[in-house]
Amino acid sequence: MTRGGTGQHETPAVRRSLLVQLAAPVRQFLSTEAGSAGLLLAATALALVWANSPWSESYVSLWSATASISVADWNLSMDLAHWVNDGLMAVFFFVVGLEVRREFSVGALTDPRRAAIPVIAAIGGLAIPALGYLLLAPSDANGAWGVVIGTDTAFMLGALAVVGPRLATQLRVFLLTLTVIDDIVAVSVIGVFYSDSLRLSGLVLMAVFAAVMALMSRYGVWPAMPYLLAGLGLWLATLHAGLHASIAGMLGGLLIAAHLPRRDAVERAVRRFRAFRQSPGVEAGRTAHRELVRAVSVNERLQIRLHPWASFVVVPLFALANAGVDLRDGVLTDALASRLTWAVAIALVVGKLVGITLASWAGVRAGLGKLPQGVGFGHVTGGAALSGIGFTVSLLIAGLAFPDPMNHGRAVVGILVAAVLATVAGWVAFRAAAVLRGQTDADLPRRLVPSVDPDRDPIRGSAEAPITLVEYGDYECPFCAAVTGVADELRARFGDGIRYVFRHLPLADVHPHAELAARAAVAAQAQGRFWDMHETLFAHAADLDYEDLAGYAGELGLDVERFLRDLEADHTASRVREDIASAEASGARGTPTFFINGVRHTGPHDAETITRAVWATRDSAGAGTGPVESR
């Protein structure tokens, strides 16, 4: 489970009632994983056709061919199948580890209340399939229970895009959070139960390289290359220790910290680029580039670079090397009649469906957490069914657990049958949820609630403007401050054709002065000076203490005593809470969030992107004929 990124940022809310709005890196990740599913399916089909064709010997010969790396007296030699399974798949699990670390640092697993139900669901989705397999499998294959615990994220998301709800953002986030735990347990199982005999010297070397990576991350080493070199050393040490290489990949990724861009780093990068614009030169350009790179965590930079390779090269190559089972001469008939094949298929499909659904239901009923907003139990059932697509991890463990080619072939057939049955079961579950329970979209609300009220909302522009742009913002949010000019730029382009509305979404959990600043803006609005205070607060976002706010009121010529009374009044606090409740009801989970004519904008929020969205809204609404309601 991995994620790429586009570099577009917003400040997420930590509080329970304001879950982070889907960020651009997650959107990119979802898009890439879903797209790679088609390539993965094609590689699987090619492997099966090739292995069952007149040229099947060439398939076997290719993956059994030996490739070596030699330096002086040192030599590392493996056949191509092992280079893929033990080498390239370490890159895949490294990207998985990076994503897991990011989720624990700044993502869905930072708040235990948000993570509770996905974690409980993941435990159910691991335990029930394993128990089901042990009950169904023949006694001589009981040790292969690890085959049925994994979920293939790429295949699952690809199937969700085909058979799931049209809008499934919140369900996808739920399933991705679940697969974080799934990935950790699956790799741990590989390391503990399916590795060779251990060598102490290799374990010591692993500890040394892991410590180096942890220390570099702890002390903020920002270039990516030292981490990659230490990760290579960790991989070699893991092979020497007798552990499966997936351990090195996952561990290496987990050791690289993730963090949101810090305001001081962003501002420093901006200053360097301004200097480069004023005096373009090689050294100024290098400095600007270095500061820009340093503003983004190593974790996210490595994800962006490695994720396409993992999704579009590593995983398809793995499928090509491992899915090619020769099913001729009665092998397929034997497999379909085998208890082992159906133990794998039933444990994956039924086990995942029952385990995840029941665990989620029990967790919610016990009050341990809530499902994400917009996700119902019908959606959870459909997602649980699709989680029975084990594929990548299942094939990897099957290759380790079954040295006997006959049993290995039966297990692979069971994994392939499970992928088909899980997709069909997911389609049935989603259709049933839509028809019987009205659970269609699994997304955050997209409509502005309530609509703009000129008697309440601060508005810039003509009341008759056909386009209304509403922003939910936070005066201490660096990304809000960075886009404050967007509204002015749009008004300069569209003139009286657009009006701009600002609503408060102070993220007090991450910005301690944001709520007081929002109340200051409301207090200034009572004296008709909202926009003056609005601009002042953004201009002094680092100085928002009580005394600072009083000073700004004086500088703006406000009645300071009245301002301070209003600042502390209950009606002012109530006004800010109304905007927060409006954000919750409208699906705004972070700042800044924009609504164009009452519809939540998704994607980057730079001036050009917002302008294109405004033009699209204007054209689709026939805005030239009159004002459009923000409802």
Side-chain angles (χ1 to χ4, degrees), residues 120-121 124 128 352-365 377 380-381 384:
I120 293 169
I128 300 301
K352 287 286 186 180
L353 190 155
V354 173
I356 292 172
T357 303
L358 286 184
S360 300
W361 177 83
V364 172
R365 286 297 299 269
F377 277 108
V380 172
T381 302

Side-chain angles (χ1 to χ4, degrees), residues 306-350:
L306 296 178
H307 179 261
W309 290 96
S311 295
F312 291 104
V313 177
V314 174
V315 174
L317 271 177
F318 171 82
L320 186 63
N322 289 271
V325 177
D326 192 337
L327 301 174
R328 295 170 296 180
D329 300 326
V331 174
L332 179 59
T333 302
D334 171 77
L336 293 177
S338 168
R339 182 176 174 181
L340 174 59
T341 298
W342 291 105
V344 170
I346 293 172
L348 276 169
V349 178
V350 179

Side-chain angles (χ1 to χ4, degrees), residues 75-296:
N75 179 71
L76 179 61
S77 181
M78 294 187 286
D79 60 41
L80 289 183
H82 279 88
W83 275 111
V84 171
N85 294 345
D86 295 347
L88 292 181
M89 284 302 287
V91 176
F92 169 79
F93 283 108
F94 179 69
V95 179
V96 170
L98 290 171
E99 171 58 20
V100 171
R101 177 60 185 267
R102 189 182 191 283
E103 289 299 317
F104 276 106
S105 298
V106 297
L109 296 177
T110 55
D111 185 350
R113 295 169 299 181
R114 275 192 285 171
I117 300 303
V119 169
I120 293 169
I123 294 171
L126 292 163
I128 300 301
L131 291 174
Y133 176 85
L134 291 173
L135 290 174
L136 296 172
S139 58
D140 62 345
N142 277 351
W145 55 270
V147 171
V148 301
I149 66 173
T151 295
D152 189 293
T153 307
F155 255 153
M156 179 190 67
L157 291 179
L160 180 63
V162 175
V163 305
R166 184 176 62 88
L167 297 173
T169 298
Q170 289 294 86
L171 177 59
R172 286 175 177 178
V173 173
F174 175 83
L175 293 174
L176 286 172
T177 306
L178 183 153
T179 57
V180 166
I181 309 303
D182 192 297
D183 290 332
I184 293 174
V185 174
V187 173
S188 300
V189 165
I190 292 172
V192 173
F193 294 98
Y194 300 107
S195 291
D196 300 328
S197 57
L198 301 182
R199 299 186 185 91
L200 180 60
S201 58
L203 294 175
V204 172
L205 285 173
M206 284 181 63
V208 170
F209 283 111
V212 169
M213 295 184 75
L215 287 172
M216 288 193 298
S217 181
R218 171 68 177 82
Y219 289 101
V221 175
W222 61 269
M225 186 54 67
Y227 294 93
L228 294 177
L229 292 175
L232 177 60
L234 179 62
W235 175 72
L236 292 171
T238 302
L239 290 179
H240 178 64
L243 290 169
H244 193 269
S246 60
I247 292 289
M250 177 70 83
L251 179 60
L254 288 172
L255 291 171
I256 301 177
H259 59 78
L260 293 173
R262 289 183 286 268
R263 181 170 184 162
D264 59 337
V266 174
E267 292 299 325
R268 188 164 55 247
V270 170
R271 289 195 298 270
R272 298 301 186 191
F273 269 95
R274 286 175 178 167
F276 174 71
R277 183 176 61 183
Q278 293 170 356
S279 179
V282 174
E283 189 58 37
R286 291 173 58 187
T287 302
H289 178 265
R290 182 176 66 247
E291 294 300 335
L292 178 62
V293 169
R294 294 182 67 174
V296 181

Side-chain angles (χ1 to χ4, degrees), residues 485-498 500 611 615:
V486 170
D488 292 335
E489 189 170 338
L490 290 172
R491 291 182 63 241
R493 295 189 185 193
F494 291 93
D496 291 338
I498 192 169
Y500 170 65
T611 298
W615 276 120

Side-chain angles (χ1 to χ4, degrees), residues 56-66 80:
S56 58
E57 289 187 7
S58 65
Y59 178 86
V60 175
S61 299
L62 172 66
W63 299 113
S64 59
T66 300
L80 289 183

Side-chain angles (χ1 to χ4, degrees), residues 477-545:
C477 166
F479 308 115
C480 295
V483 300
T484 51
V486 170
D488 292 335
E489 189 170 338
L490 290 172
R491 291 182 63 241
R493 295 189 185 193
F494 291 93
D496 291 338
I498 192 169
R499 60 176 180 168
Y500 170 65
V501 178
F502 186 86
R503 287 183 176 175
H504 304 285
L505 182 50
L507 308 178
D509 292 346
V510 289
H511 298 144
H513 301 94
E515 187 169 352
L516 184 62
R519 292 168 64 174
V522 174
Q525 185 179 0
Q527 298 186 44
R529 302 294 296 278
F530 173 87
W531 293 108
D532 294 324
M533 180 61 76
H534 174 85
E535 293 171 355
T536 300
L537 293 172
F538 271 132
H540 300 85
D543 301 301
L544 297 175
D545 290 325

Side-chain angles (χ1 to χ4, degrees), residues 445-452 467-470 586 594-601 617 628-631:
R446 303 176 68 86
R447 308 292 297 186
L448 182 67
V449 179
S451 56
V452 173
I467 298 293
T468 299
L469 179 69
V470 178
S586 305
F594 289 96
F595 287 77
I596 303 173
N597 275 7
V599 178
R600 179 163 50 86
H601 168 74
T617 301
V628 178
E629 292 288 340
S630 293
R631 299 188 186 280

